[in-house]
Amino acid sequence: MNIIDELEWRDAINQTTDEDGLRELTAEKSVGLYCGVDPTGDSMHIGHLIPFMMLKRFQLAGHHPYIIIGGGTGSIGDPSGKNTERVLQSMEQVHHNEQALTAQMTKLFGQDSNISIVNNYDWLSKISLLDFLRDYGKLFNVNSMLAKDVVASRLEVGISFTEFTYQILQSVDFLHLLRHHDVQLQIGGADQWGNITAGIDLIHKELGSDTKAYGLTIPLMLKADGTKFGKTAGGAVWLNPEKTTPYEFYQFWLNQDDRDVVKYLKFFTFLTSDQIAEYQKSVETAPEKREAQRHLAREVTEFVHSPEAVIEAEHISAALFSGEVKELTTSEIEQGFKNMPSVELAAEPENIVELLVNTKIESSKRQAREDITNGAIRINGEKIQDLDFVINPAKEFDGKFVIIRRGKKKYWLGRVNG
């Protein structure tokens, strides 16, 4: 199947500048293509992942992806998708973010010869102000720039000249990559259409109208309830495991709505149409098993993190579901209990009744004694019904944690001081 046909089947194409021409080009040769990310932060989130998943599909189909880390464009700010002016970052912060994003991209795409990661600071920083105005500014009509959605949407609230020129810089990127690396296709989110077409216009003015250059955008992804994909009550879902743990990442995908899961299997996995059809059938006939969600969670967690991260996430999930938390490692506890209520504990042993009251897990000694006697309290997975039981924090989990459970599902993580 041609890569363009595959993307169509996956409902992954929003707009293309010339779909028939692009299909023909990708059938003829290994195509150079690119997508960029600006270093506005030190990690991508799963919303950023969408166009790069498409880039990965091109890579697997034998084409040559170029990833631009936008050290140049990121230093001025992309107005796309923003209704206010971005706050400029220090160049020190931009360079720090560049390094972090480069490491993420290397992990996702590997280090083989069929992938190139470049930084547009390397060429944009060499353009003088006069060269910028004479060589590029003359080729951009202000009326046309104002008509682009990315600028038009900001005219009421205002846009600085700095952000206004962003589409020129991104256009220079496309021209540079085509001249020096034969890159003929740019991929981006739906909000990048104006920037992409501006780049193609610049290429045609500089290199001739018959120059083959193409643009492709990915649809804006919405959930079945109409809300934006990728947001949770806790905020964005990050690819950096220190911001979103692999367990949290896995759980995000596992908890997807039945109405969305097949769409996400198409977008975020490399399963075939036959395999996805089987999971679609399971959603329709046995939704309670959540087989589609489990496979989605495994595939994406393995792609972004590792096979070991999948095993660890599933181990944590099983332990929390069964209550057998004693089987967890200290590292797994840090992941699985990251967002659960926590209490501070002294390192010294303490009577269970006193501990439950002192940490305010129980409102009174009477209530604590009643819950213990009734078997409602578990310490590190073990039911405790002895009112004289002494909790020794040093006994389990490297002396760092005590897991306290009241009832069937209410957990607290005791963090040991000292």
Side-chain angles (χ1 to χ4, degrees), residues 2-4 21-29 31 58 63:
N2 180 277
I3 182 64
I4 303 304
L22 186 55
R23 182 180 284 103
E24 183 179 331
L25 182 71
T26 52
E28 288 176 354
K29 59 181 284 193
V31 175
F58 274 92
H63 302 284

Side-chain angles (χ1 to χ4, degrees), residues 8 16 66 68 82 86 145-146 163 166 172 206 267 278 320 333 349 388-389 395:
E8 281 193 331
T16 58
Y66 283 76
I68 285 188
K82 295 289 181 181
R86 290 180 185 268
M145 293 176 72
L146 291 172
E163 290 197 5
Y166 184 92
V172 173
E206 280 282 277
F267 259 86
E278 285 299 312
L320 292 178
I333 288 170
D388 295 322
F389 181 81
K395 189 177 179 182

Side-chain angles (χ1 to χ4, degrees), residues 385-416:
Q385 293 181 278
D386 179 4
L387 296 175
D388 295 322
F389 181 81
V390 174
I391 296 174
N392 183 359
K395 189 177 179 182
E396 306 283 352
F397 309 125
D398 301 321
K400 293 183 177 180
F401 304 117
V402 174
I403 300 175
I404 305 158
R405 176 176 151 194
R406 188 183 71 198
K408 291 184 177 181
K409 294 182 178 179
K410 191 67 174 177
Y411 282 97
W412 285 263
L413 179 64
R415 296 182 180 273
V416 181

